[in-house]
Amino acid sequence: MRPFSTAIRNSLAGFGLFMAAWAAAALFFPAYVLPSPVAVMGNLGTYVDDGFLGHLGATLFRVSAGFAVAFFVGTGAGLAAFVAKKTQPLNTLMMALQVVPGTILGIVFLLVFGVGDYTPIALVAFLTLPIVTVNTVNALGARSEQLEGYLLASGGSRAHLVRYLYLPTLVPTAQSNLTIGFGMALKIAILGEFIGAQSGVGYLLNVARVTFHMDAVFFYLLTVLLVTVCFQVAQSAFFAAFLEKYFYGE
């Protein structure tokens, strides 16, 4: 369980550094520009109510739905392309998708789906798909050719390669995709809520920004950070408990 405890320490250390940097920066700016962490947390009762929890739940639903689509489609597409030896066209397509600006996509999805859940979900899925797919393809490209040759020499089929070599090879990459992708998905969902939603943390951030309610802005940002930290701890616990053996070398 050492990787799990290390992940917790790293997450808490990162959170602590962020809070320290925030507190230090707040010393040089007036409260209406950059309120201190103490001031923001002193007003928690003002922000945390049933309405806020509903907005937070909406954002988490959109992040989970959109990123689940990107994670499974990207992993499946990368695996299928590798088996079919079509990784270069897939990588080219993913690179093309990755350069499309999120704001433009958000406006397009808003026109297609309207205001609601579908715009941020589609934005999350579309913008996180390339990184998941490319990471999957690159991980398979770094597979053990020695083990692959052994399986083929033993009469193994393509299905055996997928089951006993390719899928185990993808376990560390799956964790990396979750680590990087979830944080990215959360930011993208908030962008989508800015553009095309009337609920969610992004919507609340937009309202607070328009009214220059900076205490609320930084409270919502702190909420996003805490959600990310909790997710990283949870996924680290899962991989440490059930899949740790796949992280050892050959």
Side-chain angles (χ1 to χ4, degrees), residues 13-14 58 127 130 143:
L127 292 179
R143 74 203 180 282

Side-chain angles (χ1 to χ4, degrees), residues 75-194:
T75 302
L79 180 58
F82 183 82
V83 172
K85 303 185 185 303
K86 300 292 184 181
T87 56
Q88 190 57 49
L90 182 64
N91 274 339
T92 302
L93 173 62
M94 291 300 108
M95 291 298 99
L97 295 180
Q98 198 167 28
V99 300
V100 179
T103 305
I104 294 176
L105 276 178
I107 295 172
V108 171
F109 289 144
L110 176 61
L111 294 174
V112 172
F113 299 116
V115 174
D117 289 333
Y118 291 115
T119 294
I121 289 174
L123 198 60
V124 168
F126 199 94
L127 292 179
T128 55
L129 177 64
I131 191 169
V132 173
T133 306
V134 171
N135 283 348
T136 299
V137 169
N138 290 341
L140 290 170
R143 74 203 180 282
S144 171
E145 295 184 2
Q146 181 179 0
L147 291 177
E148 186 176 47
Y150 174 78
L151 285 171
L152 292 173
S154 302
S157 63
R158 183 171 295 181
H160 290 119
L161 289 175
V162 171
R163 179 177 179 183
Y164 296 112
L165 178 59
Y166 299 162
L167 289 179
T169 297
L170 288 179
V171 171
T173 302
Q175 185 178 30
S176 296
N177 283 335
L178 288 172
T179 300
I180 299 171
F182 182 82
M184 180 182 294
L186 191 53
K187 291 187 291 185
I188 294 169
I190 289 173
L191 172 63
E193 290 169 349
F194 260 73

Side-chain angles (χ1 to χ4, degrees), residues 39-59:
V40 171
M41 289 185 288
N43 292 324
L44 288 183
T46 306
Y47 310 118
V48 180
D49 53 20
D50 292 341
F52 168 73
L53 294 178
H55 285 289
L56 179 60
T59 296

